[in-house]
Amino acid sequence: MAAALPLAVLGLLLLGPGGRGHAEPPRDTLREELVITPLPSGDVAATFQFRTRWDSDLQREEVSHYRLFPKALGQLISKYSLQELHLSFTQGFWRTRYWGPPFLQAPSGAELWVWFQDTVTDVDKSWKELSNVLSGIFCASLNFIDSTNTVTPTASFKPLGLANGTDHSFLRYAVLPREVVCTENLTPWKKLLPCSSKAGLSVLLKADRLFHTSYHSQAVHIRPVCRNARCTSISWELRQTLSVVYDAFVTGQGKKDWSLFRMFSRTLTEPCPLASESRVYVDITGHNQDNETLEVNPPPTTTYQDVTLGTRKTYAVYDLLDAAVINNSRNLNLQLKWRSPPEHGYVHYQPAQDRLQPHLLEMLIQLPANSATKVSIQFERALLKWTEYTPDPNHGFYVSPSVLSALVPSMVAAKPVDWEESPLFRSLYPVSDSSSYFVRLYTEPLLVNLPTPDFSMPYNVICLTCTVVAVCYGSFYNLLTRTFHIEEPSTGGLAKRLANLIRRARGVPPL
Amino acid sequence: MAAPGEAATDLEVIRGKRAALFFAAVAILLGLPLWWKTTETYRAPLPYSQISGLNALQLRLTVRVTVVFTRESVPLDDQEKLPFTVVHEREIPLKYKMKIKCRFQKAYRRALEREEEALSLGSMQEAETMLAEPQEQAEGSLTVYVISENSSLLPQEMMSYIGPERTAVVRGITHREAFHIVGRRVIQVAQAMSLTEDVLAAALADHLPEDKWSSDKRRPLKSSLGYEITFSLLNPDPKSHDVHWDIKGAVRRYVQPFLSALSAAGNFSVDSQILYYAVLGVNPRFDPASSSYYLAAHSLPHVINPVESRLGSSAASLYPVLNFLLYVPELAHSPLYIQDKDGAPVATNAFHSPRWGGIMVYNVDPKGYNGSELPVRVEVDMVRVMEVFLAQLRLLFGIGQPQIPLKCLFSGPKSEGLTIWELDRLLWARSVENVATATTTLTSLAQLLGKISNIVIKDDVASEVYRAVAAVQKAAEELAAGHLASAFIASQEAVTSSERAFFDPSLLHLLYFPDDQKFAIYIPLFLPMAVPILLSLVKIFLETRKSWKKPEKRD
């Protein structure tokens, strides 16, 4: 958009009754919510939900006017006659065993499932076009969805909203497990929020922190819902959800404490003026008055108890629309501290960077007597770049040995001796305490077989076939163009002469 | 014993030579064409000569003007020569390879009884309604009525009148040269209502050299099958302003009538949205004198880009989007005014960006802040807003202010905000633009095919090219015949077909196939096969030369 010109003259005759109509009360509402749950493993899960409800029947109107509901998605609903749309982008995997059950489930990669309305005639064509458009809106490779990865489930994916019939021929489901989720997917997702990322809970959505997590899942759900209790007409509901899991250990030097600022590098400053509800819930289930195991700061005004996912939970509730919550301190930085002393131990982990540095894992553990301790590390085999393979790649690659340094209690207390005087074999390691001695053990190096490609296969095939063709052709050519003629032997071969010599010796007439 | 043996050997040698020659012949006659045929890129035949012919196409635009004389308009002896036809043709001087000639084909006739009656009525409006009723005029044609010199239909000092439909009225004269003078007036009026150089220059702005036509010629949107119009209300400060606009009513009342008048030029879809926390990309300057903020003219181009990322591209269609933004400045920056190049505030507080849309700044009435707490409820005055947006919409469609000749009365458009001849003029311009675009697309495709040998042309692409060429030719014929509506449809078809051919993905299938890789694959096969053939050919050649030389030595 290069040049802009001020509009100088305007002669326009406006016509017709210029009555100004009174604007109707807003027909759409926004609710936003953040749930922070400390997980059993010590990580912290944060789940954002933004729900826009629009009391409008999208299909009926010719000209559509959007307020809180994003135009891009509204146009999709009316153009492709959508009944429901569920799209999620996930990086990482929710470890149910360590983290407990999730609020919102999503598979790794991108998942899209759509119910079309029964007016759609060619569902496959609409599905293809829709996935292409969505791929444009969310900057994702959803355009790779085609008939090879699309299915029509008949039992597991029922409509989540209002539905008249459930004819499964109008359902399409696809997953792209390889889809990598990154900032370019988050930015268009944030743009759909009415308050963008300028106010309210969405201030916390800072990309570089959200992707510095063990789990990141963002989703868009569109479905029709009842407008009122009697369900006389329908409204459209757009839910934008985002869940992240922060590895509190790594960022918090082994402590399980967290604060909003530490997780998001932002604090809440003002509520979104468009939201009719804006709340933060903090899971404080372990919290009871007697022995304070944890402390939330600022102290919550209200708590909320409920049974979710099969367990009774207690949540501290902060309502951002309540002026007192933010006004006291100009901003809200929720903090949670664990009172109980952290377990003794030290873990230092430095992750590897490809082609720059290896992994380093150091653990300081106190082992109980007569026990076996097993430390296992999982790894994945990867293909190297083809120039990085050694000349004998099938031999395998070495992983350097682990080191175990220990202070072992001594059976007999050693006499303290002068360090300089003692024999050299005693004095390599300084001994601070005479009741124990220092040992350093090394494990065997590990030889790992990496998958090796066949480096020369394509050219071999070409050369081999060409050689076969050339050999056949060559002998054929030779056979046809060579001149063969019989040559009379003049004196006979060596064998004949030898035979005649023997014959003469024996007195037999020669041949 | 030796002689028959040698004869047999000679026979063998000759047979061997023949076999080698036969191999070479098979390799050249059969192998080479086979190899050529199997590795060739498929190219359906294309009408190259016709395409290059399009480049030198002469567009002749015919405007049919019917001139109707009432009884006392010109001297009687002149009237007796009626009816006859006069052609007024002139070339439009554009620096463009396509020659454009504009011809006004005037058909003179005498007024009918009913027309006489209508033109003798007291006022122009009555006369117009009476004239308009029974007859349907073809698109692009004009009817000019010549009335008597002292008719009271027009005010005394006015010489002509241009109506909202395809009619105009010219005052006649009783003079010896009457015919000549009236003819000139008719042409003047017809040019005002129909084709002018400006209109065509604007339509061809993309195809003309840069220097001659300034950037405001490039203001109108490019021709397309449809357009999306989006009205966006930007409220960067929802904490202070609770803005409401009755866009639904405004669209129904003002925009829809205009668009339905324009519907011949394309499909239109309208929607609106409200964007919160959407800020302009430029920080306004403070003007202490008037304690207001202003945006200088030179900073306006930077305003649009940051906003555009929030507007949301139209996901559901491929038509170009026209954006109209109503910006309610935040409390800290209001009131906000737009300054023109001289530093004076722009009366409308709005500006537009060519081919993109328009932006209007709507300042909240400062009285609203008094006494009430934030947020202030703001009701947008849609009449004021729509006046600006509709004027911008007209400009963006290339419908400028009509250039009315001197001493001419202009009735102004009817309630839709668009006269019918303005629409005709738009269709003329769009048809010419479409023909030019389709020609350029086809020519570039032909050039590209000549330059890059790896482009595949499938049969369906070829048929699109044929269709486009035929449509261009048809459009040119219809333009020359003065059938505007069918010319416009044909030109649209030409553009659609040519672009579909040009952007067909199958063109690129074999584009990346470098020569060095080709040879890496061919050489292991071709070398072992070619070497024996070449060697035996060389041997045969040497032997024949020896046998030619031998007889010479004997001599």
Side-chain angles (χ1 to χ4, degrees):
Chain A
M1 294 305 107
L5 309 166
L7 187 70
V9 201
L10 272 174
L12 195 78
L13 22 141
L14 271 189
L15 16 114
R20 98 168 48 159
H22 271 281
E24 315 133 57
R27 296 184 306 151
D28 36 10
T29 50
L30 171 72
R31 287 172 59 188
E32 49 179 18
E33 186 182 288
L34 166 64
V35 184
I36 301 179
T37 326
L39 297 174
S41 65
D43 301 319
V44 182
T47 308
F48 293 86
Q49 285 208 43
F50 301 89
R51 175 186 188 259
T52 312
R53 207 186 87 164
W54 190 19
D55 298 340
S56 156
D57 197 351
L58 270 174
Q59 268 90 26
R60 304 279 148 73
E61 288 166 38
E62 226 173 79
V63 182
S64 33
H65 303 284
Y66 300 90
R67 199 178 83 97
L68 297 178
F69 204 89
K71 187 181 85 148
L73 295 182
Q75 282 182 335
L76 278 191
I77 298 178
S78 46
K79 172 146 191 214
Y80 295 106
S81 303
L82 301 183
Q83 176 79 25
E84 276 189 25
L85 182 143
H86 303 272
L87 172 65
S88 73
F89 295 102
T90 307
Q91 184 80 27
F93 180 73
W94 185 277
R95 311 266 161 202
T96 315
R97 203 197 302 173
Y98 308 110
W99 296 345
F103 283 119
L104 309 158
Q105 303 84 3
S108 288
E111 181 201 41
L112 174 67
W113 57 285
V114 175
W115 276 92
F116 291 93
Q117 294 191 344
D118 46 12
T119 49
V120 180
T121 48
D122 190 349
V123 178
D124 285 316
K125 186 163 161 276
S126 300
W127 167 251
K128 181 78 201 152
E129 283 177 20
L130 175 73
S131 54
N132 276 315
V133 172
L134 283 174
S135 115
I137 293 179
F138 290 102
C139 300
S141 19
L142 296 174
N143 51 329
F144 287 108
I145 291 179
D146 53 17
S147 61
T148 59
N149 47 23
T150 301
V151 290
T152 305
T154 52
S156 18
F157 287 90
K158 298 286 178 204
L160 296 184
L162 281 177
N164 288 336
T166 51
D167 180 358
H168 285 275
S169 57
F170 294 103
L171 169 67
R172 290 292 179 276
Y173 176 89
V175 175
L176 296 175
R178 278 203 62 168
E179 183 68 20
V180 178
V181 185
C182 199
T183 322
E184 77 247 26
N185 307 116
L186 182 69
T187 313
W189 185 89
K190 277 202 294 196
K191 273 191 209 153
L192 300 177
L193 296 172
C195 274
S196 193
S197 48
K198 301 275 173 44
L201 296 178
S202 45
V203 172
L204 300 177
L205 302 173
K206 202 179 164 196
D208 59 339
R209 302 296 298 171
L210 290 182
F211 287 101
H212 207 79
T213 51
S214 341
Y215 177 80
H216 171 106
S217 173
Q218 61 183 71
V220 172
H221 303 279
I222 300 175
R223 62 178 177 183
V225 293
C226 286
R227 195 174 295 183
N228 46 28
R230 285 186 298 128
C231 214
T232 47
S233 51
I234 63 162
S235 300
W236 285 89
E237 184 199 66
L238 164 69
R239 257 179 213 248
Q240 291 180 257
T241 65
L242 177 90
S243 11
V244 284
V245 174
Y246 281 93
D247 191 345
F249 272 134
V250 173
T251 51
Q253 284 92 38
K255 287 185 191 162
K256 284 158 82 178
D257 302 347
W258 57 263
S259 72
L260 283 188
F261 186 76
R262 202 147 80 200
M263 285 198 289
F264 300 103
S265 74
R266 298 270 176 92
T267 56
L268 294 170
T269 50
E270 53 175 346
C272 174
L274 311 167
S276 56
E277 187 185 300
S278 180
R279 284 188 181 154
V280 182
Y281 293 84
V282 180
D283 186 349
I284 47 164
T285 307
H287 175 79
N288 50 4
Q289 299 300 324
D290 313 328
N291 58 335
E292 287 206 339
T293 51
L294 53 85
E295 182 195 36
V296 203
N297 188 29
T301 46
T302 50
T303 56
Y304 170 77
Q305 283 204 345
D306 195 13
V307 176
T308 45
L309 301 167
T311 47
R312 179 166 293 281
K313 300 262 182 167
T314 314
Y315 293 97
V317 184
Y318 298 88
D319 190 348
L320 295 189
L321 294 179
D322 180 7
V325 168
I326 286 184
N327 270 15
N328 287 345
S329 55
R330 286 294 183 80
N331 64 6
L332 176 66
N333 182 19
L334 282 175
Q335 283 177 317
L336 185 135
K337 276 190 186 139
W338 294 86
R339 280 292 173 79
S340 57
E343 298 136 45
H344 193 73
Y346 172 80
V347 178
H348 173 228
Y349 175 63
Q350 190 182 28
Q353 285 175 313
D354 273 354
R355 296 170 184 96
L356 286 180
Q357 68 175 37
H359 290 276
L360 169 66
L361 174 65
E362 277 184 297
M363 288 186 286
L364 188 61
I365 324 167
Q366 199 159 20
L367 299 180
N370 287 327
S371 65
T373 302
K374 202 166 139 190
V375 178
S376 65
I377 293 166
Q378 291 183 343
F379 64 89
E380 290 163 2
R381 292 158 200 260
L383 274 173
L384 300 180
K385 287 184 182 166
W386 71 280
T387 47
E388 286 170 346
Y389 282 96
T390 50
D392 53 347
N394 288 313
H395 178 76
F397 289 79
Y398 285 97
V399 177
S400 45
S402 318
V403 188
L404 185 72
S405 313
L407 275 176
V408 183
S410 177
M411 294 290 192
V412 190
K415 276 182 289 176
V417 284
D418 184 15
W419 199 68
E420 278 296 329
E421 295 293 309
S422 61
L424 291 176
F425 66 81
R426 284 206 55 189
S427 57
L428 180 58
Y429 296 110
V431 178
S432 58
D433 184 6
S434 60
S435 65
S436 58
Y437 59 95
F438 180 83
V439 178
R440 179 167 287 159
L441 300 173
Y442 292 91
T443 63
E444 277 181 274
L446 185 64
L447 184 59
V448 182
N449 257 321
L450 287 190
T452 47
D454 179 1
F455 296 104
S456 57
M457 192 270 283
Y459 200 70
N460 286 351
V461 170
I462 292 174
C463 286
L464 187 72
T465 40
C466 289
T467 313
V468 169
V469 170
V471 165
C472 293
Y473 160 82
S475 43
F476 189 57
Y477 185 84
N478 253 346
L479 213 64
L480 288 176
T481 54
R482 274 288 149 81
T483 26
F484 296 99
H485 51 97
I486 306 146
E487 197 150 293
E488 288 295 318
S490 53
T491 49
L494 185 70
K496 198 178 172 185
R497 268 195 229 166
L498 271 177
N500 282 347
L501 226 92
I502 295 166
R503 275 173 175 250
R504 201 184 298 163
R506 282 172 56 199
V508 191
L511 285 170
Chain B
M1 191 167 164
E6 248 177 38
T9 322
D10 275 351
L11 269 177
E12 275 291 290
V13 168
I14 289 166
R15 192 196 57 80
K17 273 186 194 169
R18 279 192 188 147
L21 283 174
F22 183 70
F23 260 95
V26 166
I28 290 165
L29 294 180
L30 205 70
L32 272 183
L34 192 74
W35 167 72
W36 188 254
K37 196 77 199 158
T38 46
T39 57
E40 173 192 57
T41 49
Y42 179 71
R43 231 177 231 197
L46 288 185
Y48 290 107
S49 61
Q50 288 185 48
I51 291 175
S52 57
L54 291 184
N55 229 348
L57 190 72
Q58 252 203 8
L59 269 190
R60 183 164 297 189
L61 314 176
T62 306
V63 183
R64 286 158 185 257
V65 185
T66 315
V67 185
V68 181
F69 289 94
T70 56
R71 253 172 244 133
E72 284 141 24
S73 52
V74 282
L76 264 176
D77 49 334
D78 275 345
Q79 285 210 13
E80 266 155 31
K81 295 171 195 160
L82 296 177
F84 64 96
T85 308
V86 174
V87 174
H88 172 91
E89 186 174 83
R90 73 200 167 89
E91 196 161 318
I92 293 182
L94 291 177
K95 271 192 190 165
Y96 185 54
K97 52 199 174 189
M98 195 184 270
K99 292 268 178 306
I100 299 178
K101 274 187 181 167
C102 185
R103 74 194 252 156
F104 291 95
Q105 193 174 320
K106 289 185 284 186
Y108 293 100
R109 69 170 168 85
R110 235 170 276 175
L112 303 173
E113 208 45 48
R114 191 181 44 76
E115 290 168 333
E116 291 279 3
E117 199 180 318
L119 289 168
S120 60
L121 284 172
S123 79
M124 209 56 235
Q125 276 74 20
E126 287 171 33
E128 230 158 32
T129 43
M130 189 158 173
L131 284 173
E133 266 164 18
Q135 60 184 14
E136 192 63 37
Q137 281 170 310
E139 282 92 349
S141 66
L142 293 173
T143 309
V144 183
Y145 295 98
V146 184
I147 55 172
S148 69
E149 194 174 7
N150 37 22
S151 161
S152 59
L153 205 58
L154 294 177
Q156 211 38 250
E157 69 284 359
M158 289 296 174
M159 296 310 290
S160 51
Y161 164 84
I162 292 177
E165 291 188 15
R166 298 185 181 98
T167 50
V169 173
V170 168
R171 198 183 282 280
I173 197 165
T174 46
H175 190 269
R176 214 153 41 81
E177 293 271 300
F179 228 75
H180 199 64
I181 296 169
V182 167
R184 235 185 356 223
R185 284 184 191 160
V186 167
I187 285 298
Q188 206 179 25
V189 167
Q191 275 182 1
M193 291 174 76
S194 183
L195 290 163
T196 42
E197 230 166 273
D198 285 12
V199 175
L200 291 179
L204 295 173
D206 272 351
H207 305 277
L208 289 176
E210 189 87 29
D211 51 323
K212 191 172 173 190
W213 303 98
S214 63
S215 68
D216 60 322
K217 287 277 189 294
R218 285 164 203 253
R219 189 166 52 206
L221 269 183
K222 289 194 76 174
S223 175
S224 156
L225 293 182
Y227 307 88
E228 301 229 338
I229 296 169
T230 302
F231 294 99
S232 307
L233 171 64
L234 306 189
N235 183 1
D237 193 5
K239 266 171 76 185
S240 322
H241 299 142
D242 180 20
V243 186
H244 295 265
W245 66 342
D246 178 25
I247 185 68
K248 210 171 183 176
V251 165
R252 198 184 57 237
R253 231 170 283 138
Y254 310 123
V255 182
Q256 292 291 14
F258 179 75
L259 293 182
S260 52
L262 256 185
S263 60
N267 305 319
F268 294 92
S269 68
V270 183
D271 45 30
S272 81
Q273 60 181 345
I274 302 182
L275 296 175
Y276 298 92
Y277 289 104
V279 288
L280 301 180
V282 181
N283 262 337
R285 300 275 183 79
F286 183 67
D287 179 22
S290 60
S291 73
S292 64
Y293 291 82
Y294 67 91
L295 285 171
H298 63 84
S299 65
L300 293 182
H302 310 292
V303 163
I304 295 171
N305 277 351
V307 178
E308 192 166 26
S309 69
R310 280 292 303 279
L311 290 179
S313 54
S314 157
S317 84
L318 298 172
Y319 295 145
V321 182
L322 275 176
N323 291 292
F324 293 98
L325 313 186
L326 183 68
Y327 182 77
V328 181
E330 58 260 68
L331 184 57
H333 285 154
S334 51
L336 175 67
Y337 296 105
I338 294 173
Q339 288 189 346
D340 60 12
K341 288 198 179 73
D342 310 323
V346 177
T348 54
N349 220 3
F351 67 96
H352 72 274
S353 171
R355 295 183 182 178
W356 184 83
I359 298 185
M360 179 181 180
V361 177
Y362 187 92
N363 286 313
V364 177
D365 188 5
K367 276 179 245 159
Y369 298 119
N370 294 345
S372 60
E373 58 184 16
L374 299 177
V376 179
R377 187 180 165 92
V378 181
E379 287 283 352
V380 177
D381 179 7
M382 291 312 282
V383 176
R384 215 174 94 201
V385 172
M386 279 298 153
E387 263 178 2
V388 174
F389 282 166
L390 276 188
Q392 288 177 337
L393 193 59
R394 276 172 61 100
L395 281 180
L396 291 168
F397 274 106
I399 312 167
Q401 288 295 322
Q403 290 169 341
I404 304 298
L406 281 174
K407 288 190 175 180
C408 177
L409 184 69
F410 175 49
S411 77
K414 283 206 249 174
S415 61
E416 309 89 38
L418 183 75
T419 62
I420 289 180
W421 54 265
E422 275 175 328
L423 177 66
D424 282 349
R425 195 148 75 164
L426 181 67
L427 290 187
W428 283 115
R430 285 286 143 99
S431 308
V432 172
E433 185 191 345
N434 284 343
V435 168
T437 311
T439 311
T440 317
T441 313
L442 288 174
T443 319
S444 348
L445 180 64
Q447 273 175 4
L448 211 61
L449 290 180
K451 236 180 253 172
I452 303 171
S453 56
N454 276 344
I455 295 182
V456 186
I457 296 290
K458 286 189 178 173
D459 286 335
D460 53 337
V461 176
S463 71
E464 288 290 347
V465 172
Y466 274 105
R467 202 171 302 149
V469 170
V472 169
Q473 284 166 346
K474 187 184 174 214
E477 279 166 24
E478 297 284 344
L479 281 178
H483 302 146
L484 182 54
S486 49
F488 180 67
I489 291 168
S491 73
Q492 270 188 333
E493 194 196 323
V495 170
T496 320
S497 295
S498 64
E499 307 242 308
R500 204 178 291 151
F502 191 83
F503 292 107
D504 196 283
S506 71
L507 258 60
L508 304 177
H509 276 175
L510 285 182
L511 208 53
Y512 181 72
F513 207 68
D515 283 341
D516 50 344
Q517 293 194 5
K518 252 187 240 175
F519 285 110
I521 293 168
Y522 286 151
I523 281 180
L525 181 66
F526 282 180
L527 218 56
M529 290 181 79
V531 166
I533 293 181
L534 288 178
L535 281 181
S536 37
L537 283 183
V538 167
K539 202 174 149 199
I540 290 168
F541 176 72
L542 288 179
E543 275 178 11
T544 37
R545 211 173 63 171
K546 214 187 272 172
S547 63
W548 275 98
K549 275 184 185 168
K550 259 182 199 165
E552 280 171 21
K553 273 184 187 170
R554 271 181 199 166
D555 290 342

